[in-house]
Amino acid sequence: AFFIQTSSQPPRVALSMIQNNDNDDPEIAMERNEQRTCIKQFLTQRSIQSFMFLAEQVRDPHTADWVERLLGKSDLLNYHGTGAFDITKYPAWDSFFLELIQQPKTSIIIQAKRRGRGHGGWSKNNPYLKDRYVEYEVKIDPENLLPRI
């Protein structure tokens, strides 16, 4: 947003920059902008992004992906700004945490291709060698995620 300076009034945010809908009331638009730029919302967003980054660094991208899907946002790790959260879904800074606590425990089954064809002395073109996969389970307990975030 940018500021408009008049001689007798303090700077004000240009409402045309923050309105989402042409039919919105300017007061509603200002309220939305205050929610979007709230420092508590920003700190919540950054703490979730930091948690997701650390989860990926310790080879747990599945938990980070689960959190991202719960938020309904994609590519949150690369987002830089204050408005990553949907303020209609998460109107207060702690709304996401309250939703997180209500989520059931989840298990995600990961299927990864094992080394085989063309690795370890095996022939790449051998038609009798089948691709081999290994499965493992990642358990996600939302109540345990909350203190980690």
Side-chain angles (χ1 to χ4, degrees):
F2 61 92
F3 294 97
I4 299 172
Q5 180 69 40
T6 59
S7 59
S8 62
Q9 296 178 350
R12 59 187 171 91
V13 177
L15 295 178
S16 62
M17 295 296 291
I18 58 176
Q19 287 181 333
N20 293 339
N21 189 344
D22 295 333
N23 299 330
D24 283 346
D25 184 299
E27 291 174 11
I28 293 172
M30 283 298 290
E31 184 178 327
R32 264 197 218 122
N33 193 46
E34 286 174 10
Q35 278 181 320
R36 187 182 62 78
T37 58
C38 172
I39 189 67
K40 290 180 181 179
Q41 283 274 32
F42 177 69
L43 292 175
T44 299
Q45 173 190 316
R46 292 302 296 167
S47 65
I48 292 169
Q49 286 174 309
S50 296
F51 170 74
M52 290 172 58
F53 175 78
L54 291 173
E56 288 199 356
Q57 292 298 306
V58 296
R59 296 182 150 194
D60 186 13
H62 314 293
T63 302
D65 184 55
W66 184 87
V67 169
E68 203 168 57
R69 282 186 277 125
L70 179 64
L71 280 167
K73 273 299 209 194
S74 61
D75 208 23
L76 188 62
L77 283 176
N78 293 325
Y79 186 87
H80 297 284
T82 59
F85 287 171
D86 180 3
I87 59 173
T88 56
K89 186 176 180 182
Y90 304 112
W93 68 270
D94 59 349
S95 300
F96 170 75
F97 298 124
L98 296 173
E99 182 179 339
L100 181 66
I101 289 175
Q102 295 172 356
Q103 297 299 312
K105 292 181 181 179
T106 307
S107 291
I108 300 173
I109 305 296
I110 307 299
Q111 188 180 47
K113 188 175 179 182
R114 290 180 66 183
R115 296 176 75 185
R117 297 174 76 164
H119 293 291
W122 295 96
S123 172
K124 229 192 253 194
N125 300 322
N126 188 339
Y128 298 104
L129 291 177
K130 304 289 183 206
D131 289 334
R132 298 181 301 170
Y133 293 91
V134 64
E135 289 185 355
Y136 59 96
E137 182 180 18
V138 175
K139 295 182 180 183
I140 297 176
D141 184 4
E143 290 181 11
N144 288 339
L145 293 181
L146 190 60
R148 290 170 57 195
I149 294 175

